[in-house]
Amino acid sequence: MGSRRDFVQKMTATVLGAPLLYDRTGLKTLTDLPVDGPMLRVAIMGLGSYGTRVAKAMQTCKRAKLVGVISGTPSKIVDWQKTYNIPEKNCYNYEDFDAIKDNPDIDAVYVITPNGLHHSQVIRVAQAGKHAICEKPMAISVKEGEEMVQVCKDAGVMLLVGYRMHFEPNTLKVIHMRKAGEFGKIMFFQGQSGFKIGNPDQWRLNYALSGGGAMMDIGIYAVNGSRYMVGEEPIWVTAQETKTDPIKFREGIDETIQFQFGFPSGAVASCLSTYAFSHNDRFYLNGIKGFAEMQPSTGYGPIKGRTHEGPLTEPIVTHQTLQMDRMAEMILDGKKAEVPLDGEEGVKDLRIIEAIYKAAKKGKKIML
Ligand code: NAD
């Protein structure tokens, strides 16, 4: 008879990404599963706050391993070498990292730098023949995003966007319920994403590096979430911007935007993106037969929520650990993510964000 290991391997082969894979009897994270196969050897570019979070999370990955760094700060490189046992030959700076093409010990580079740098850095990674994982937003314009997709295609490498919620079990549970018709016809989605931003000198408030304000940084979760929760692509957008602090939030840096989508089925969405206040991380999906409510909905977790059937009880995971193991399976084994997160998906969000900015500026409905 098959062991639990056999069972897990069999299930892994058939339903990648489905929460059904996991028992609830003691597995703390989904990556506690015994997984076989080679490791994806990753270099992280940008050793800032999120890069650090990803590096720590990767310590418990089963299929992905941090083997290299790219940074402009030599002291950080030394610290990371000690912490993560990274050999000198796998350390680069922003000037010399094209030489990674001659390094057979690195498979992929995870770009975790300010948004405005993603375009040129991902293109250089692809041209060095390495797979690119890029943080959200993948770029600061549709044009940039499309170029990145094309260059990666031409170079024969994968481009994945760091949409960690696409693997999160409670999120997937709601998506499965929606696909199974348990909410009935979807009528309404509400997505609220935001936090009160601090230091006015940070790159997030510098247009050249951020490409926008709250919308680019955190509002993108409500944009992306609208799409995977409703299961459709919006066909129109309306938006209204409010600014209480025009000194901190200069021209091009949005503070608060409320935006609405219409979907082909007739469903509508009403969302809010802000840098003005915290405790603003909530999704609500409403169908004619039921609902799902998640709060927090896209923070680092634990993701909590309920549906008309009761509380969401899928396993609590470290998002970045699961994301990197799943991305390794995609890159090394050719598996597909249940909720796609390739470069084209990143461009779809950028196209919607550009429409939101246009709608807010013109005060008109924008068709997509
Ligand atoms: P951060 O400021 O903490 O780190 C940015 C890093 O980039 C730093 O190490 C900095 O030294 C480096 N850098 C290189 N060139 C730079 C330049 N010209 N100006 C400023 N910094 C430069 O920022 P972060 O919070 O780590 O965000 C980095 C990326 O990760 C952003 O794209 C952000 O949207 C994304 N992010 C994603 C999540 C998520 O949950 N997926 C969470 C936080 C941030």
Side-chain angles (χ1 to χ4, degrees), residues 119 138-139 141-152 343 347 350-351:
H119 171 256
M138 69 180 288
S141 69
V142 170
K143 183 172 175 291
E144 279 192 358
E146 285 177 341
E147 284 169 8
M148 290 155 74
V149 168
Q150 191 57 51
V151 171
C152 289
V347 173
L350 288 173
R351 191 166 287 118

Side-chain angles (χ1 to χ4, degrees), residues 48-50 76 113 115 118 135-136 164 203-204 221 300:
S49 86
Y50 195 63
K76 280 195 208 165
T113 54
N115 313 338
H118 295 174
E135 254 319 311
K136 43 56 61 180
R164 59 188 160 75
W203 68 260
R204 284 182 164 80
Y221 284 99
Y300 299 135

Side-chain angles (χ1 to χ4, degrees), residues 5-17:
R5 185 185 177 88
D6 294 337
F7 167 76
V8 166
Q9 283 176 342
K10 196 167 156 214
M11 292 299 283
T12 303
T14 52
V15 283
L16 170 67

Side-chain angles (χ1 to χ4, degrees), residues 57-75:
M58 284 182 71
Q59 288 182 300
T60 47
C61 277
K62 294 285 192 290
R63 294 293 309 274
K65 183 172 167 35
L66 174 64
V67 298
V69 287
I70 300 157
S71 169
T73 313
S75 59

Side-chain angles (χ1 to χ4, degrees), residues 222-362:
V223 171
N224 186 249
S226 295
R227 297 174 49 232
Y228 64 67
M229 295 291 275
V230 175
E232 296 178 57
E233 298 298 325
I235 51 173
W236 59 256
V237 175
T238 50
Q240 308 80 37
E241 180 174 4
T242 45
K243 213 171 253 201
T244 62
D245 187 347
I247 295 173
K248 187 169 185 178
F249 304 105
R250 292 184 295 268
E251 180 65 25
I253 305 291
D254 49 287
E255 180 186 329
T256 301
I257 297 183
Q258 296 181 73
F259 54 100
Q260 302 80 33
F261 297 147
F263 296 91
S265 66
V268 289
S270 176
C271 304
L272 182 135
S273 154
T274 191
Y275 267 163
F277 51 95
S278 297
H279 313 295
N280 192 29
D281 178 3
R282 181 175 175 270
F283 280 2
Y284 186 78
L285 182 69
N286 210 162
I288 52 171
K289 290 199 321 206
F291 70 90
E293 181 177 42
M294 301 165 82
Q295 184 174 19
S297 55
T298 63
Y300 299 135
I303 301 303
K304 291 187 180 148
R306 65 193 177 107
T307 72
H308 58 286
E309 288 177 356
L312 290 168
T313 56
E314 297 305 312
I316 293 167
V317 302
T318 301
H319 298 178
Q320 297 80 8
T321 309
L322 180 60
Q323 171 200 323
M324 293 309 292
D325 272 341
R326 290 289 176 260
M327 284 185 167
E329 290 173 334
M330 294 172 74
I331 292 171
L332 297 175
D333 308 342
K335 294 193 170 159
K336 296 247 180 293
E338 191 177 349
V339 184
L341 39 64
D342 49 40
E344 279 92 345
E345 290 295 314
V347 173
K348 285 180 194 167
D349 286 333
L350 288 173
R351 191 166 287 118
I352 296 167
I353 289 174
E354 285 191 354
I356 290 170
Y357 282 141
K358 200 166 163 189
K361 198 165 179 185
K362 292 187 180 275

